[in-house]
Every structure is written in structure tokens, then in C-alpha cells.
Amino acid sequence: RDSDIPATTTSTHNSWDADSTFTVAADDFLSLDDTLLLGPRSSDGSLPVVDFMRLADGSDLIDAGIDASSAHGGSAPDVGCFERY
């Protein structure tokens, strides 16, 4: 609810904002198959790099975020789990 959001909070460029310039759909992602997350870890113990929730070419989520002083490729941060360089 809007009344629960402090006045000092900025809430823009989210998929749930009415002023959002993008829509989120399954074809925005390379894969939504969560079984990919069950794969073995890499030899150094890190999580495997898989296509789950990674943005697909042409997704309108690419460069759709707002710059919050974090590293990103492109003209703006991507919206989603991973930055697509």
C-alpha cells in the first residue's frame, strides 16, 4: 500500500509501478526453468552460471532501470537479477 511507503522513499522503474515503461514476460528471459539451479557448483565452489532469469536479447528490461551508482553496462542498469553486459 502506498501509505506504507515512507515519503523519503523513491519507488520508480519497478515492474509494479504504474509509470513503468516496460512489461515483464517470460520471453524477456533466456530460461525460467528453476531446475537449472540444482546443478553442481563450479570447481571453486561458486554457483553455476546458468540461463535462469538472465535477460534475453531484445528484452525491454535491458537498460530500463534507474542509475543508483552501481556498476552497469549500457545507458542504465538492467531490471532483473543480473546485469547483462
Side-chain angles (χ1 to χ4, degrees):
R1 297 185 322 218
D2 288 339
S3 61
D4 294 337
I5 300 174
T8 56
T9 300
T10 300
S11 179
T12 62
H13 290 73
N14 296 299
S15 60
W16 59 83
D17 290 321
D19 64 345
S20 175
T21 58
F22 55 85
T23 57
V24 179
D27 62 356
D28 283 308
F29 304 96
L30 296 176
S31 176
L32 295 175
D33 179 4
D34 62 355
T35 63
L36 295 172
L37 302 175
L38 301 174
R41 289 185 175 257
S42 300
S43 61
D44 66 356
S46 63
L47 295 173
V49 176
V50 296
D51 287 344
F52 180 73
M53 297 292 289
R54 295 201 182 266
L55 296 177
D57 289 342
S59 170
D60 56 351
L61 303 178
I62 297 170
D63 295 338
I66 188 169
D67 190 353
S69 299
S70 59
H72 60 80
S75 60
D78 299 338
V79 173
C81 300
F82 305 102
E83 179 69 17
R84 186 174 179 274
Y85 290 98

